[in-house]
Each structure stands twice: as C-alpha cells, then as structure tokens.
Amino acid sequence: MPKPLRDQPKVVLGLALAILLAHVARLFLSPGDEERLFAALAITPNRYDPGIDAYPNLTAAVAPLVGHVFLHAGWFHLAMNLIVYFSAADLVADRLEAREPGGLRFLALFFGSAVGGAAAYVWLNPHAAMPAVGASGAICGLFAAYLLAVRRDWRVAGRDPVDDGVTAEG
C-alpha cells in the first residue's frame, strides 16, 4: 500500500510534480509547438537508424532517451503512470535511502530505467515510425528494483514467494 503523499520522499514527489507540470505546460503550447516538442522528445525508433541522419547533433539524439518520460498521450495516460509510479516509488526510494538530499540514487535508477526502456523499444522496433512517450519504462525499472529488493537473492526474484517460503523480509 503506497504511503500518503505527505509521507513520500521529496525526490519521489518532486519527480511526479515535474512530470505533471510538463503535461500541464503542454496545454499552453500551440499545436505546432506541441508537435515540435513531441518530435524532439518522443522515442521514434527509425530516427536512430544509422543510415538516416535524423538528428542534427548528439544532444538532439540523447534528449529523447530521457525526455519521453515527461510527455504523455493524454490525461488518462498520465494518471495511470502516476498511480503505478506511486505504487513502487516510495518503497524503492526508502530502500535506496533517497531521503538524503537529492535522492541521486533514486533518480539514477529512474532515468537509467527510462533509457533502458527507450533502448528496448528502439531495439525491438528498429524501423518503426510510431513515437513512444510516457514514464512506463522508467516505472518498470522501479518495479524490477522493488522485486529484487524484497527477495533474498536475484535468482529467486521471479518465483512465487508462497511456493518457496520466501517472504518480503527475506
């Protein structure tokens, strides 16, 4: 059961607020500016094709790897991501001791997972022109970290705890 918002680590709340504010800020963009924002920050696999010179510089190629986390396809998409995010984020943040100033380990895990999710999407769909947005890949990384954190050993992380006597305490 997730903690109430007032008890969440600051890094967890700050990241959720940044994602929410990014979505709200889109409401003030013109349709053309919003389209350019999505073109710049969404993960579009075919733009990473080595035969296509789709990115003018390294920054333009790297920005979507983390920028897609701050874009969502709509309010429902955003709400679902934030609900699932809060289901795991506080537990992982506690385990990583993210209450220390900045919560750098938590942020590294979150954005590292975002990059991993983006890379997986590009790898699985190398020629796709369909852009991907949202924080789902990063949130999956948080859930993986939680699953590994509550098990005594990574080799049993995928097993049913009832079948092998493993408990959340280890």
Side-chain angles (χ1 to χ4, degrees):
M1 173 67 91
K3 296 175 188 169
L5 286 178
R6 70 179 177 277
D7 295 333
Q8 295 283 336
K10 288 179 183 166
V11 67
V12 169
L13 287 174
L15 188 53
L17 184 61
I19 291 169
L20 178 63
L21 289 175
H23 191 74
V24 170
R26 281 186 37 215
L27 300 175
F28 299 100
L29 295 176
S30 70
D33 286 342
E34 185 175 25
E35 187 176 318
R36 283 187 285 284
L37 179 68
F38 269 75
L41 295 181
I43 295 294
T44 308
N46 67 354
R47 294 184 73 194
Y48 288 95
D49 186 329
I52 298 172
D53 190 19
Y55 292 108
N57 56 50
L58 182 61
T59 302
V62 172
L65 298 177
V66 293
H68 71 280
V69 166
F70 297 98
L71 300 176
H72 287 81
W75 286 106
F76 182 75
H77 183 210
L78 174 67
M80 294 311 307
N81 267 300
L82 289 177
I83 288 168
V84 175
Y85 169 76
F86 280 115
S87 295
D90 67 314
L91 302 168
V92 174
D94 283 347
R95 182 70 177 209
L96 293 175
E97 299 173 1
R99 293 191 187 281
E100 65 191 42
L104 293 178
R105 290 173 51 183
F106 179 83
L107 292 173
L109 173 64
F110 183 86
F111 286 110
S113 298
V115 170
Y121 179 62
V122 171
W123 183 66
L124 291 170
N125 304 285
H127 306 293
M130 177 64 71
V133 295
S136 300
I139 293 167
C140 285
L142 293 180
F143 269 98
Y146 172 72
L147 182 63
L148 292 172
V150 298
R151 299 306 181 101
R152 67 174 178 255
D153 163 330
W154 67 269
R155 290 178 293 254
V156 298
R159 292 189 202 147
D160 184 348
V162 174
D163 290 342
D164 65 2
V166 175
T167 64
E169 290 80 34

